[in-house]
Every structure is written in C-alpha cells, then in structure tokens.
Amino acid sequence: MGQAPSSPAESSGRDTALWLWSPEFFDCESIGFEDVVAGGHHDFTGDLPDDCLAHVFQFLGAGDRKRCSLVCKRWLLIDGQNRHRLSLDAKAEILPFLPSMFNRFDSVMKLALRCDRKSFSLSDEALVMVSIRCPNLTRVKLRGCREITDLGMEDFARNCKKLRKLSCGSCNFGARGLNAMLEHCKLLEELSVKRIRGIHESAEPIQLRSSSSLRSICLKELVNGQVFESLVATRTLKKLRIIHCLGNWDNVLQMNGDGNSSLTEIHLERLQVSDSGLSAISKCRNLETLHIVKTPECSDLGLISVVERCKLLRKLHVDGWRTKRIGDEGLIAVAKHCLNLQELVLIGVNATHKSLSAIATNCGKLERLALCGSGTIGDVEMACIAEKCVALRKFCIKGCAISDVGIKALALGCPNLVKLKVKKCRVVTGDVREWLRERRRTLVVSMDGDETKGPVLVNEDDQRGLEMVVEEPPVADGGGDAEVAGGAGKLAMFKTKLGLLVSKSFVASTFRRWSQSEATSSSSS
C-alpha cells in the first residue's frame, strides 16, 4: 500500500515531445540546421499548421504573446488568444497585411496603434480600413500616428459609433478631427489628448453639438488647450485632468463654476491657475479628489475657498513647489471643514505642529498621509501625528528633518499602521529598522538604508541638491518610550535648508502600489 504500480505509466505529452526531438530523430540537414549554426535564420515553426501554432500560443501569458508578435508577422496573425484586444506597431509597412490580420481578428473591441518617432505611421487609408473591419471598437489608443489627418479621423468616427474611450498622443490631427469624434461617437465617455500638434493658437473651438456621455477629460502638454472650454463645462463630466498646458486657465475653470457641476475629481498640474480659478472650483459641491500640483499662483486663500464649500473632499494633494504661499492657514481650514478626509499629500509645504495637530484631531478618518520636502516637519510633528492619527494605516515621509525618535513615536502611537516608507531623511539611521521589526513585526517598512548616509539623489528635472544643516545633534536617553516622551522638545531645534524641488513621483508610485496591494488582498479574501 502506498507504493507505485509495477506496470509503467503512460508517457505524458512532455515526455513524448522530448522523445520526438531526441538526437536520433533530429535531421539537421533536412531543416537546414547547419545554416542556423552558420548564422542563418531558419524558422522552425514554418512547417507547423496555423491551428497548431495558435494552440501553442494559448499557453503563453499576455506579455509573452506581445513579445512573440514582434518576431514575425505570421506569429502576429496566428496569435488569436486575445481577439478582443489588439496592439499593433503602426508602421506604414504593415498596411498590406491589415486585411488578413483583421480577417482573423474579427471581433476586436480594444485597439492600440503605436508608432515610433523615426518611422512613418499608418495613414488615413489604413485607419479607415480598420474602422470598417472593426465596427465594434469601444477603446482606441493612438500614439505617434503622425500621418493620420482630420479627414481620416472623420471617416473613422462615422464607422465606429460605439466608441467609449479615445486616447491620442503625439499626433498631427487637430480640432476638426476631434469635433468629428464628439459628433458621431455619442457614447464616448473618456477623452485623453496629449501633445496634439493640430491644437494650435488658431484652432477652432472643440464643442459638443448634442447630448453627450462624456465623463472624463485629460489634457496634457497642449499649446492652446483652452479650445476645450465647452467640454470642461459639460454637465456630465466627472473627472478633469489638466497637466502642463500653456496659457491662463482661470476663465476655463470659471465656466464650470455655476454650482451645477458633477465633477468629483480635479487634477491641476503645472498650470497658470490663481486663487480665482480655485474659487470657481469651490462651486463644485460634489468634489471628492483635488490635486493642486506646482501651481505657484495658488495660495491659502484659494485653498480655503475650496475646502469651505467642498464638504465631501476625501483626497487632497498639494505640491506647494516651495513657494510658501500655502501653509498653516490653508491647512487649518482643511482640518476645520474636511472631516471626511482620507488621504492627504503635502509636498514642499511648510506645515508645522499647529496645522498638523488640527488635521490629526479633526480628520478622524485619515488613513493615508505623505509629507515630503518640508523644512518645518520634525520629531515634534511626528509625535503629534502618532498621538492623534488613530486611523492612519499608511504613512510615507521624504526629505524632512526627522530622526529615529520620530519614527519610534509613530510606530508606538498609530495602532492601525500597516505600511511605513521613509526616504531621504538623513538623520534617520538603520538601527530603527531593527527596532521596528522587534516592536511591530506586522508593519511593512521601506527605508533608504545606506542611502540616507550618502549624498541625496536628485531627479533630472530637479537640478539643485538637498542640504541639511543640524545646529544641535539629537539627544536620546533611556528606552524607546523615554525617547518619545522627553526627546521631542530637544529635537525641535533642527533647522533645514531645502534647495530641492521634491518630485511627486515618490508619493504617487507609493500610493499606487498600496492601492494595488489592497485590491489584491481584498480579491483573495
């Protein structure tokens, strides 16, 4: 009992495959193996039927199938495992293969056409051919398709009326083509326009001529993005992202400030926006997420006007760009009015114990907090957060004058803390990592390690370094609890000179990974 049977088991498919490819059955001359050894390019799959090769592709993941599609055009045509989604290298030379390709991919709903800068892309003729053969397209992404014009976009819009999402970047068509998309694609919900050369100073306005289902707009790096003014005022719009677009945007935001807006998420980054624009945003009573990133003309007055009226605000990101125009006054207003705040990110904002204490006391639902590039945040502020932010689950800090005492206080005082990230805090040592492992074994900790003792790494966009000036070294006596209780006042003497415009990528990537991990854990449970 429990022993293997005496009779030989049936050979598996893998064993059979190995037997078929054994040396005695491997005829090198018949398949030209000597050419391969000599540097030739023989296709060992050339004699396999299409159906057999397609069956092999079914065992590959999405990434492997994409890489295989770059080997040869035949593999690209045969791989039919993901028929509803197709991504093509949209060079002009694939035009003769499009008919046979879409004969096999006859039910594509999501299509991505990408072309590099050094190649000619598919033209209007190819785009119209795609639209005729794929009338059920719901999502289309165009990247670097510079040979597509307004005429091609018009014909494409007439044939793909079921389109729900359009993303175009680094293309040459302009307002006329986009107006055609909005006119014929009545189900369009998401529109993303990035680096479109046809949107120039003399471009015609982009308008909705009938009822629309538009829910999300993203405008990035446009010369005259103000032509989208009527779209911003759309009543059905939920999400608005405007990033690094030229010109003044106060008047555009005022178009949506009549109190009837449905906007729940607004992201403004590297824009010429003043407190007047923020005052217009304050009339969006349903606003839940607000990002004010590197807008140097915004001040405490604009932030106060938003938080006083937008009572439903749950996520607030402020990158003050070290202009010192947003500080304690605006943050105290946040603490007073945003009682439902769950996520707060402060970059280059000189928040002090006064404002952080108010936020920690009033915002009892705060779960995610990030503090970056502030010369006024030290161990005293960390002790305040540890004492009052009971609901805090995830915390990251970068480029602030904290020490091991502040980290220990946070670990001892936040009972629900599950993830902690510390970057570029040069006074923090590696010893606190071992201390955290002993006291909070379930806490996920990410620290610089040896990086904190060396020079600070600077992004390409930020040409200046980070200088830390310590007037008096930290004094730590006794155990961990004594350090937290008695060391806070002594460590308040830290002063910092920051010449770094701290990038927001650290915070964005951190929260993105946290959100993905939460989704994975929730699905598994």
Side-chain angles (χ1 to χ4, degrees):
M1 184 177 66
Q3 298 178 354
S6 57
S7 59
E10 296 183 1
S11 61
S12 62
R14 182 176 181 274
D15 296 335
T16 304
L18 294 176
W19 174 77
L20 288 175
W21 287 98
S22 58
E24 57 265 30
F25 291 95
F26 200 95
D27 189 357
C28 298
E29 295 182 357
S30 63
I31 63 173
F33 183 73
E34 67 280 356
D35 295 335
V36 177
V37 176
H41 300 282
H42 182 82
D43 183 7
F44 292 98
T45 66
D47 298 331
L48 292 177
D50 289 352
D51 294 339
C52 180
L53 194 56
H55 182 71
V56 173
F57 284 138
Q58 293 181 6
F59 295 94
L60 301 180
D64 291 332
R65 290 200 304 272
K66 289 181 180 179
R67 285 184 284 271
C68 287
S69 65
L70 301 177
V71 175
C72 65
K73 295 182 176 65
R74 178 173 179 253
W75 285 18
L76 175 63
L77 299 178
I78 290 176
D79 181 15
Q81 174 68 16
N82 198 357
R83 293 174 179 266
H84 296 291
R85 180 180 299 176
L86 183 61
S87 179
L88 297 179
D89 186 5
K91 295 181 180 179
E93 50 263 31
I94 73 168
L95 178 60
F97 301 95
L98 287 181
S100 58
M101 182 182 303
F102 286 102
N103 283 338
R104 186 173 189 89
F105 294 92
D106 53 359
S107 59
V108 176
M109 300 178 66
K110 302 176 183 179
L111 177 65
L113 301 177
R114 297 181 175 88
C115 185
D116 58 77
R117 297 180 179 180
K118 299 181 180 180
S119 305
F120 289 98
S121 69
L122 293 175
S123 61
D124 292 344
E125 177 186 359
L127 187 64
V128 173
M129 182 188 302
V130 170
S131 66
I132 294 175
R133 294 179 175 268
C134 303
N136 296 321
L137 281 176
T138 59
R139 295 188 179 185
V140 172
K141 179 181 292 185
L142 304 177
R143 289 289 183 273
C145 298
R146 290 171 293 277
E147 275 61 52
I148 295 178
T149 66
D150 288 327
L151 295 177
M153 294 298 293
E154 288 180 359
D155 294 335
F156 180 84
R158 292 189 183 97
N159 297 328
C160 297
K161 297 183 178 181
K162 298 181 181 179
L163 198 65
R164 293 182 178 272
K165 183 177 180 179
L166 173 64
S167 176
C168 46
S170 301
C171 298
N172 287 342
F173 58 85
R176 181 180 173 183
L178 292 174
N179 276 327
M181 298 296 299
L182 294 172
E183 179 180 358
H184 297 287
C185 303
K186 303 296 181 59
L187 301 178
L188 190 65
E189 296 179 355
E190 298 183 31
L191 176 63
S192 178
V193 182
K194 304 177 182 179
R195 297 179 295 276
I196 298 297
R197 298 180 182 178
I199 307 296
H200 44 73
E201 294 181 358
S202 59
E204 62 182 89
I206 297 177
Q207 299 178 348
L208 289 173
R209 300 179 181 178
S210 60
S211 60
S212 172
S213 302
L214 202 59
R215 298 289 187 273
S216 174
I217 296 178
C218 178
L219 309 176
K220 185 176 181 179
E221 297 181 13
L222 300 178
V223 176
N224 186 23
Q226 287 79 2
V227 296
F228 291 88
E229 180 176 319
S230 63
L231 299 190
V232 175
T234 305
R235 301 300 179 210
T236 59
L237 196 64
K238 297 288 187 180
K239 298 180 181 180
L240 175 62
R241 295 170 60 89
I242 309 176
I243 303 173
H244 208 181
C245 295
L246 300 181
N248 193 308
W249 285 85
D250 284 341
N251 293 332
V252 176
L253 296 175
Q254 288 171 1
M255 292 291 295
N256 213 347
D258 56 1
N260 296 322
S261 174
S262 300
L263 279 171
T264 60
E265 180 178 339
I266 297 179
H267 186 125
L268 307 177
E269 182 175 349
R270 295 198 180 193
L271 290 183
Q272 185 180 346
V273 177
S274 66
D275 291 339
S276 178
L278 294 183
S279 178
I281 291 177
S282 67
K283 298 179 182 179
C284 302
R285 303 298 178 87
N286 298 319
L287 192 64
E288 297 181 2
T289 302
L290 177 61
H291 290 212
I292 309 174
V293 180
K294 298 179 181 178
T295 54
E297 297 183 19
C298 295
S299 68
D300 283 328
L301 295 178
L303 181 59
I304 292 172
S305 65
V306 172
V307 299
E308 284 181 347
R309 297 183 180 182
C310 301
K311 305 292 185 180
L312 302 179
L313 204 62
R314 296 186 299 109
K315 297 181 180 180
L316 177 62
H317 290 213
V318 179
D319 188 342
W321 219 3
R322 292 193 52 78
T323 58
K324 298 182 180 180
R325 302 197 66 183
I326 297 180
D328 278 343
E329 185 179 356
L331 296 179
I332 290 174
V334 171
K336 182 178 179 181
H337 300 283
C338 300
L339 303 182
N340 295 318
L341 197 65
Q342 298 177 3
E343 179 175 307
L344 177 62
V345 176
L346 301 178
I347 303 176
V349 177
N350 286 333
T352 65
H353 177 271
K354 184 178 180 180
S355 58
L356 290 180
S357 177
I359 291 175
T361 302
N362 296 341
C363 302
K365 298 181 181 179
L366 189 64
E367 297 182 355
R368 298 174 295 276
L369 177 62
L371 305 173
C372 300
S374 177
T376 58
I377 296 178
D379 290 324
V380 175
E381 287 71 25
M382 294 287 285
C384 173
I385 294 172
E387 179 183 357
K388 299 180 180 180
C389 289
V390 181
L392 193 64
R393 300 181 66 247
K394 300 169 184 177
F395 179 74
C396 58
I397 186 165
K398 178 180 179 181
C400 296
I402 64 171
S403 69
D404 292 354
V405 175
I407 298 297
K408 292 179 179 180
L410 190 71
L412 292 173
C414 297
N416 295 314
L417 193 66
V418 295
K419 293 188 178 181
L420 172 64
K421 181 165 284 191
V422 183
K423 297 291 182 181
K424 304 298 183 289
C425 298
R426 299 181 64 181
V427 186
V428 178
T429 66
D431 298 336
V432 73
R433 187 198 304 268
E434 301 300 327
W435 185 91
L436 288 172
R437 288 177 179 175
E438 296 178 359
R439 296 295 183 95
R440 299 283 294 270
R441 296 184 178 180
T442 59
L443 181 63
V444 179
V445 181
S446 176
M447 297 178 63
D448 279 330
D450 296 335
E451 276 186 355
T452 57
K453 301 179 181 179
V456 176
L457 301 178
V458 183
N459 294 336
E460 294 180 359
D461 296 337
D462 305 322
Q463 300 298 328
R464 287 180 285 179
L466 175 65
E467 179 186 2
M468 177 72 69
V469 178
V470 182
E471 293 189 354
E472 180 175 328
V475 179
D477 7 290
D481 296 339
E483 292 177 2
V484 175
K490 299 177 182 179
L491 291 168
M493 302 181 66
F494 283 119
K495 293 185 178 180
T496 307
K497 286 184 179 180
L498 287 174
L500 173 64
L501 304 179
V502 183
S503 174
K504 69 180 187 307
S505 59
F506 163 73
V507 179
S509 60
T510 299
F511 282 161
R512 191 181 303 115
R513 289 193 297 269
W514 287 348
S515 300
Q516 292 174 356
S517 63
E518 281 185 341
T520 305
S521 60
S522 61
S523 60
S524 61
S525 59

